[in-house]
């Protein structure tokens, strides 16, 4: 077994130890693709995986609206509550950081490995959610002055 497969297996182990199904499944799927020789999937995943993930995440977030659990009235009322207004501002900031992060990750691939390892460790060790690379890259872009 090669070193890359061992790293994927170790990260899957971190997912199991931390009871984080998302990391475990993701690492095992990548390992499966790797060991079955379906290597041609990796360029597609690298190109469209993030977009597909954002689409699925957006579907999950917007499902309460689509199902009728969140009304237009409750959305309108969110502009009257200071916590909701703060949530809107934070949401805008995170979207901005995500955009900067996507740009940085595309233009500076040397930071991608560190961001990915940091995100996986954060998910595995601190019970985080693996949406961190874009936001982390956005914060990094602010720190290092790249846009």
């Amino acid at each position: 077994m090669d070193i890359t497969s061992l790293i994927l297996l170790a990260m899957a182990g971190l997912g199991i130890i931390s009871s984080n199904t998302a990391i475990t499944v993701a690492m095992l799927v990548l390992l499966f693709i790797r060991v079955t020789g379906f290597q041609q999937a990796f360029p597609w995943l690298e190109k469209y995986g993030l977009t597909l993930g954002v689409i699925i995440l957006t579907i999950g977030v917007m499902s309460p609206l689509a199902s009728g659990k969140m009304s237009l009235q409750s959305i309108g009322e969110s502009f009257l509550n200071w916590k909701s207004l703060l949530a809107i501002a934070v949401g805008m900031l995170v979207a901005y950081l995500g955009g900067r992060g996507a740009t940085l990750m595309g233009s500076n691939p040397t930071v991608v490995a560190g961001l990915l390892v940091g995100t996986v460790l954060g998910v595995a060790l601190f019970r985080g959610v693996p949406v961190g690379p874009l936001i982390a890259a956005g914060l990094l872009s602010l720190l290092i002055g790249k846009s």
Side-chain angles (χ1 to χ4, degrees), residues 62-145:
M62 295 303 291
S63 290
L65 177 65
S67 70
K69 290 181 181 177
M70 182 186 300
S71 67
L72 186 57
Q73 180 182 355
S74 67
I75 293 172
E77 289 172 357
S78 71
F79 290 97
L80 304 175
N81 181 310
W82 73 271
K83 290 180 184 177
S84 294
L85 289 172
L86 186 58
I88 291 168
V90 169
M92 291 171 61
L93 175 64
V94 167
Y96 168 72
L97 289 173
R100 283 185 66 110
T103 301
L104 179 67
M105 290 174 80
S107 67
N108 197 347
T110 58
V111 301
V112 173
L115 292 167
L116 295 178
V117 170
T119 298
V120 169
L121 289 173
V123 168
L125 301 175
F126 303 118
R127 300 195 183 276
V129 178
V131 295
L134 284 177
I135 306 307
L139 288 171
L140 180 63
S141 75
L142 290 175
L143 294 173
I144 64 175

